[in-house]
Amino acid sequence: LAPKLNLDLAGMDQAQQIAALKHALSQVHDDILLVLYNANDDEDIRVFRQTFEGFHWHVLITSRCEGVLEKEQELLIRHLPPPLAKALFERYYKEDSPDFDVLLDRLLEAIRYHTLLVEIFAKNMCESAELGIKMATFLQKLEKEGLHLGKHSFEVKTDYTMAVKAKA
């Protein structure tokens, strides 16, 4: 956000950075929308709301946290509609095989179109394909062995996992 506001926060401690951001944001008079993507720490959300209380702009927070905001301010999205889940999966992995659509529909139904699981399985499938494993084989392994992939295990990176690691 600082570069968009032409702020140089170098050499400032956290309190100074927040004060500089608040001052710069108070100068913005346009109707703006601030999006906080993957704000997955309850306390960070509470601190943000307290720190920036009173600003007259709109904030959209995407998070896996529940109950941090007032009930009427939260919209829980438990799963994606099937077409959106399929589009998300195919953003990361698609196969040119006659049975891919049927297999993908079966997988998406099994994971109940859960947004994070769709992304993780798609990225997992992309990695598996580099090892020569196709969707049919991947699903057979899952059905036979469960989620433990043994020697075929690898780390799957998502924005969420990267944010969690950065906090640790």
Side-chain angles (χ1 to χ4, degrees):
L1 187 59
K4 297 289 185 193
L5 297 169
N6 294 320
L7 285 178
D8 181 10
L9 301 178
M12 295 183 188
D13 64 23
Q14 186 175 2
Q16 292 169 323
Q17 289 175 350
I18 289 172
L21 275 171
K22 285 175 79 171
H23 177 72
L25 287 169
S26 71
Q27 304 303 307
V28 176
H29 296 291
D30 295 336
D31 194 23
I32 65 169
L33 171 65
L34 176 64
V35 178
L36 301 178
Y37 177 70
N38 271 343
N40 292 313
D41 184 282
D42 293 12
E43 188 57 26
D44 286 347
I45 295 170
R46 285 188 190 92
V47 168
F48 169 81
R49 293 188 69 217
Q50 181 180 4
T51 302
F52 290 95
E53 186 176 41
F55 279 86
H56 301 287
W57 25 271
H58 306 280
V59 179
L60 173 64
I61 301 173
T62 67
S63 177
R64 289 178 177 37
C65 301
E66 290 183 38
V68 180
L69 304 174
E70 289 77 27
K71 191 171 187 136
E72 63 275 359
Q73 293 178 320
E74 273 190 2
L75 174 62
L76 298 177
I77 301 173
R78 298 272 181 224
H79 57 79
L80 291 171
L84 292 179
K86 192 170 193 170
L88 176 60
F89 191 96
E90 289 177 345
R91 180 189 307 167
Y92 299 105
Y93 184 77
K94 182 149 175 66
E95 219 174 80
D96 289 325
S97 69
D99 56 345
F100 178 76
D101 285 332
V102 172
L103 294 171
L104 178 55
D105 288 341
R106 199 169 97 208
L107 173 64
L108 294 174
E109 187 176 319
I111 61 174
R112 297 187 175 161
Y113 309 99
H114 187 280
T115 309
L116 180 60
L117 292 178
V118 171
E119 183 178 354
I120 288 173
F121 274 94
K123 289 180 176 182
N124 208 320
M125 193 57 240
C126 184
E127 294 285 333
S128 294
E130 289 181 15
L131 300 172
I133 300 171
K134 298 287 186 188
M135 180 70 111
T137 306
F138 183 77
L139 290 179
Q140 286 171 351
K141 286 181 79 55
L142 283 176
E143 289 170 348
K144 181 180 172 192
E145 300 174 23
L147 289 176
H148 178 71
L149 297 175
K151 66 180 182 171
H152 298 291
S153 293
F154 45 81
E155 184 175 352
V156 176
K157 294 174 181 67
T158 66
D159 291 337
Y160 178 71
T161 58
M162 298 309 288
V164 170
K165 286 182 183 176
K167 287 190 139 292

